[in-house]
Amino acid sequence: MVPAAAAASADAALKSAREAAAACHDIDALKAALAAFEGCSLRTTAKNLVFGDGNPKAPLMLIGEAPGADEDREGRPFVGVSGQLLDRMLAAIGQDRSGAYITNILPWRPPGNRKPTPAEILLCQPFVERHIELIAPRLLVFIGGTAAGTLLDRAEGITRLRGRWLSWRDVPAMAIYHPAYLLRQPALKKQAWKDMLAIQQRLEELS
Ligand code: URA
């Protein structure tokens, strides 16, 4: 495609993502709209749509980056090794998926687990933002730098963003290290533990 035609087609896809997301008034409609959305080419290489998991009525919503191979196979977020660590991090503060809802910035696996491109993130953003609006959590946790940077619209990396209360619109939000990163950098688990305790405390204050 010539560059002008490619830009026009990206604009059209973004417009259609925005319209499709805005038209959804419940979670089932949003899932159906994503399943029908043809503007993102990742859907053609993914096995499954990875929409969300956990309790949609929970006060706590967590948002990761993108599904990996295990999530793609099962159609559920955070079910592989990172997901197992995430479950242990939640268990450490007395939480599990019955008290939390989990999704990702991208609902389809990027081939070979490569990093999502800025264009893919931009295109899927209307859906993840509508997802947050429909879940209406009282507390948001951004798992890793991609989720935090995208939804907070901040350029700083996770090292700077984590560990302090920020907000998404008027919802209190905390960014934490991605469990995949913690598996590679176990020395950071001490800081991650501190962040989880801050989340636990804030949840207690809300209840
Ligand atoms: N990493 C993510 O960010 N999300 C998943 O669902 C799995 C791994």
Side-chain angles (χ1 to χ4, degrees), residues 50 64-68 71 76-80 82-83 103-104 143 178 180:
V50 179
E65 180 177 304
E71 290 76 20
R76 281 174 62 214
F78 283 100
V79 292
S82 320
T103 189
N104 281 306
I143 307 170
H178 196 291

Short mmCIF file of all heavy atoms in Angstrom, two decimals, residues 50 64-68 71 76-80 82-83 103-104 143 178 180, ligand 1:
data_model
loop_
_atom_site.label_atom_id
_atom_site.label_comp_id
_atom_site.label_asym_id
_atom_site.label_seq_id
_atom_site.Cartn_x
_atom_site.Cartn_y
_atom_site.Cartn_z
N VAL A 50 -8.48 -12.99 23.52
CA VAL A 50 -8.27 -13.09 24.98
C VAL A 50 -8.91 -11.84 25.57
O VAL A 50 -8.33 -10.76 25.55
CB VAL A 50 -6.76 -13.19 25.31
CG1 VAL A 50 -6.54 -13.26 26.81
CG2 VAL A 50 -6.16 -14.41 24.62
N GLY A 64 -2.86 -5.94 31.85
CA GLY A 64 -1.52 -6.31 31.40
C GLY A 64 -1.25 -5.82 29.98
O GLY A 64 -1.92 -4.89 29.50
N GLU A 65 -0.29 -6.46 29.35
CA GLU A 65 0.15 -5.98 28.03
C GLU A 65 -0.57 -6.72 26.89
O GLU A 65 -1.39 -6.14 26.19
CB GLU A 65 1.66 -6.15 27.92
CG GLU A 65 2.24 -5.70 26.60
CD GLU A 65 3.76 -5.82 26.57
OE1 GLU A 65 4.42 -5.25 27.44
OE2 GLU A 65 4.27 -6.51 25.67
N ALA A 66 -0.23 -7.98 26.74
CA ALA A 66 -0.79 -8.75 25.62
C ALA A 66 -0.68 -10.23 25.94
O ALA A 66 0.21 -10.64 26.68
CB ALA A 66 0.00 -8.45 24.34
N PRO A 67 -1.57 -11.03 25.37
CA PRO A 67 -1.51 -12.47 25.62
C PRO A 67 -0.22 -13.07 25.06
O PRO A 67 0.32 -12.60 24.05
CB PRO A 67 -2.71 -13.03 24.85
CG PRO A 67 -3.55 -11.86 24.45
CD PRO A 67 -2.67 -10.66 24.46
N GLY A 68 0.27 -14.13 25.74
CA GLY A 68 1.36 -14.93 25.21
C GLY A 68 0.78 -16.22 24.63
O GLY A 68 -0.44 -16.34 24.44
N GLU A 71 -1.91 -18.01 26.87
CA GLU A 71 -3.17 -17.26 26.91
C GLU A 71 -3.90 -17.40 25.57
O GLU A 71 -5.12 -17.54 25.52
CB GLU A 71 -2.89 -15.78 27.21
CG GLU A 71 -2.40 -15.50 28.63
CD GLU A 71 -0.95 -15.88 28.88
OE1 GLU A 71 -0.18 -16.00 27.89
OE2 GLU A 71 -0.56 -16.04 30.06
N ARG A 76 -7.66 -17.00 27.72
CA ARG A 76 -7.79 -16.32 29.02
C ARG A 76 -6.49 -15.60 29.34
O ARG A 76 -5.41 -16.15 29.09
CB ARG A 76 -8.03 -17.33 30.14
CG ARG A 76 -9.45 -17.85 30.24
CD ARG A 76 -9.53 -18.95 31.29
NE ARG A 76 -9.18 -18.49 32.62
CZ ARG A 76 -8.54 -19.23 33.53
NH1 ARG A 76 -8.17 -20.47 33.27
NH2 ARG A 76 -8.28 -18.73 34.71
N PRO A 77 -6.57 -14.39 29.93
CA PRO A 77 -5.33 -13.66 30.25
C PRO A 77 -4.58 -14.27 31.44
O PRO A 77 -5.18 -14.83 32.34
CB PRO A 77 -5.83 -12.25 30.61
CG PRO A 77 -7.24 -12.42 31.04
CD PRO A 77 -7.78 -13.62 30.29
N PHE A 78 -3.26 -14.13 31.38
CA PHE A 78 -2.40 -14.48 32.51
C PHE A 78 -2.63 -15.91 33.03
O PHE A 78 -2.95 -16.10 34.20
CB PHE A 78 -2.53 -13.45 33.65
CG PHE A 78 -1.80 -12.16 33.36
CD1 PHE A 78 -2.47 -11.04 32.91
CD2 PHE A 78 -0.41 -12.07 33.53
CE1 PHE A 78 -1.80 -9.86 32.61
CE2 PHE A 78 0.27 -10.90 33.25
CZ PHE A 78 -0.43 -9.79 32.79
N VAL A 79 -2.49 -16.88 32.14
CA VAL A 79 -2.59 -18.28 32.58
C VAL A 79 -1.25 -19.01 32.49
O VAL A 79 -1.13 -20.13 32.96
CB VAL A 79 -3.66 -19.07 31.77
CG1 VAL A 79 -5.05 -18.56 32.06
CG2 VAL A 79 -3.36 -19.03 30.28
N GLY A 80 -0.22 -18.38 31.91
CA GLY A 80 1.09 -19.01 31.79
C GLY A 80 1.94 -18.74 33.03
O GLY A 80 1.41 -18.42 34.10
N SER A 82 3.86 -16.21 33.86
CA SER A 82 3.68 -14.87 34.46
C SER A 82 2.36 -14.82 35.22
O SER A 82 2.26 -14.18 36.26
CB SER A 82 3.60 -13.75 33.44
OG SER A 82 4.44 -13.87 32.42
N GLY A 83 1.35 -15.46 34.66
CA GLY A 83 0.04 -15.48 35.30
C GLY A 83 0.10 -16.20 36.65
O GLY A 83 -0.56 -15.79 37.61
N THR A 103 -7.58 -7.98 32.42
CA THR A 103 -7.57 -7.96 30.95
C THR A 103 -6.20 -7.45 30.48
O THR A 103 -5.27 -7.30 31.29
CB THR A 103 -8.74 -7.10 30.39
OG1 THR A 103 -8.81 -7.28 28.97
CG2 THR A 103 -8.59 -5.63 30.71
N ASN A 104 -6.06 -7.21 29.21
CA ASN A 104 -4.81 -6.73 28.62
C ASN A 104 -5.07 -5.54 27.70
O ASN A 104 -6.19 -5.34 27.23
CB ASN A 104 -4.18 -7.84 27.76
CG ASN A 104 -3.47 -8.90 28.58
OD1 ASN A 104 -2.60 -8.58 29.38
ND2 ASN A 104 -3.84 -10.16 28.39
N ILE A 143 -0.28 -3.53 34.93
CA ILE A 143 0.78 -4.53 35.07
C ILE A 143 1.82 -4.26 33.99
O ILE A 143 1.63 -4.62 32.83
CB ILE A 143 0.21 -5.95 34.92
CG1 ILE A 143 -0.97 -6.17 35.89
CG2 ILE A 143 1.30 -6.98 35.17
CD1 ILE A 143 -1.72 -7.48 35.63
N HIS A 178 5.79 -5.89 35.79
CA HIS A 178 5.16 -7.04 35.14
C HIS A 178 5.79 -8.31 35.73
O HIS A 178 7.01 -8.38 35.90
CB HIS A 178 5.43 -6.96 33.63
CG HIS A 178 4.53 -7.86 32.85
ND1 HIS A 178 4.64 -9.23 32.89
CD2 HIS A 178 3.50 -7.60 32.02
CE1 HIS A 178 3.71 -9.76 32.11
NE2 HIS A 178 3.01 -8.78 31.56
N ALA A 180 6.47 -11.04 34.36
CA ALA A 180 7.50 -11.60 33.46
C ALA A 180 8.84 -10.92 33.72
O ALA A 180 9.91 -11.55 33.66
CB ALA A 180 7.09 -11.42 32.01
N1 URA B 1 1.57 -11.10 29.83
C1 URA B 1 0.59 -10.18 29.73
O1 URA B 1 0.84 -8.98 29.76
N2 URA B 1 -0.66 -10.63 29.62
C2 URA B 1 -1.00 -11.90 29.61
O2 URA B 1 -2.19 -12.21 29.52
C3 URA B 1 0.04 -12.85 29.72
C4 URA B 1 1.32 -12.43 29.82
#
